[in-house]
């Protein structure tokens, strides 16, 4: 099944009720979406409020939560790391990387950024 991308661009309160994402807009509109159907939640409004139980449930269902800045550009992302073996292996490899490897990778990153400008 294809997962949904949910975009929040207006003042909205997000909470959890019976495995459902509850969206309450300041205009009085209320909607619910099953958490298991969501793949990505994009938070692109400064007045968005989200509950910790909802964040926990989204993480449990491997939903990526992206936060955007005032220019509507992605600024941060929350991903589940507990049950994802590939991501855990990547984190372990990054933590265990030697200093020369870290410097080499950083140099490659900077070069790629300069070439892309």
């Amino acid at each position: 099944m294809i997962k949904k991308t949910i975009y929040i661009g207006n003042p909205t309160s997000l909470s959890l009720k019976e495995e459902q994402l509850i969206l309450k807009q300041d205009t009085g509109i209320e909607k619910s979406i099953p958490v298991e159907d969501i793949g990505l939640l994009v938070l692109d409004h400064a007045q968005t409020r989200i509950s910790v139980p909802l964040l926990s449930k989204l993480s449990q269902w491997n939903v990526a939560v992206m936060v955007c800045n005032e220019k509507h550009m992605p600024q941060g992302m929350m991903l589940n790391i507990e049950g994802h073996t590939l991501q855990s292996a990547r984190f372990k490899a990054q933590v265990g990387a030697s200093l020369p490897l870290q410097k080499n990778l950083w140099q490659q990153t900077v070069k790629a950024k300069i070439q892309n400008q």
Side-chain angles (χ1 to χ4, degrees):
M1 179 176 164
I2 297 176
K3 300 283 189 167
K4 296 179 181 179
T5 296
I6 308 296
Y7 174 80
I8 307 296
N10 294 317
T12 307
S13 228
L14 306 173
S15 60
L16 179 70
K17 183 178 181 182
E18 298 174 3
E19 304 289 319
Q20 302 273 322
L21 165 64
I22 306 297
L23 300 115
K24 293 181 185 176
Q25 294 185 344
D26 290 352
T27 58
I29 298 172
E30 185 173 321
K31 295 181 182 180
S32 68
I33 302 166
V35 173
E36 63 196 39
D37 293 346
I38 304 170
L40 173 64
L41 177 63
V42 180
L43 306 176
D44 191 15
H45 198 280
Q47 293 177 351
T48 301
R49 296 165 304 281
I50 188 165
S51 70
V52 172
L54 174 60
L55 286 173
S56 178
K57 186 59 69 174
L58 290 169
S59 180
Q60 179 183 339
W61 281 97
N62 293 318
V63 178
V65 179
M66 182 182 300
V67 179
C68 298
N69 63 17
E70 63 278 352
K71 295 179 182 176
H72 310 286
M73 297 298 293
Q75 186 167 8
M77 182 176 266
M78 183 185 87
L79 299 169
N80 179 8
I81 59 172
E82 178 184 13
H84 198 287
T85 57
L86 181 60
Q87 188 65 42
S88 296
R90 286 183 183 157
F91 286 148
K92 286 178 184 176
Q94 289 174 358
V95 168
S98 66
L99 187 59
L101 177 60
Q102 290 176 12
K103 288 183 177 185
N104 189 346
L105 292 173
W106 182 248
Q107 183 181 30
Q108 290 176 24
T109 302
V110 171
K111 284 180 181 179
K113 287 180 174 249
I114 290 171
Q115 286 178 338
N116 288 331
Q117 285 183 349

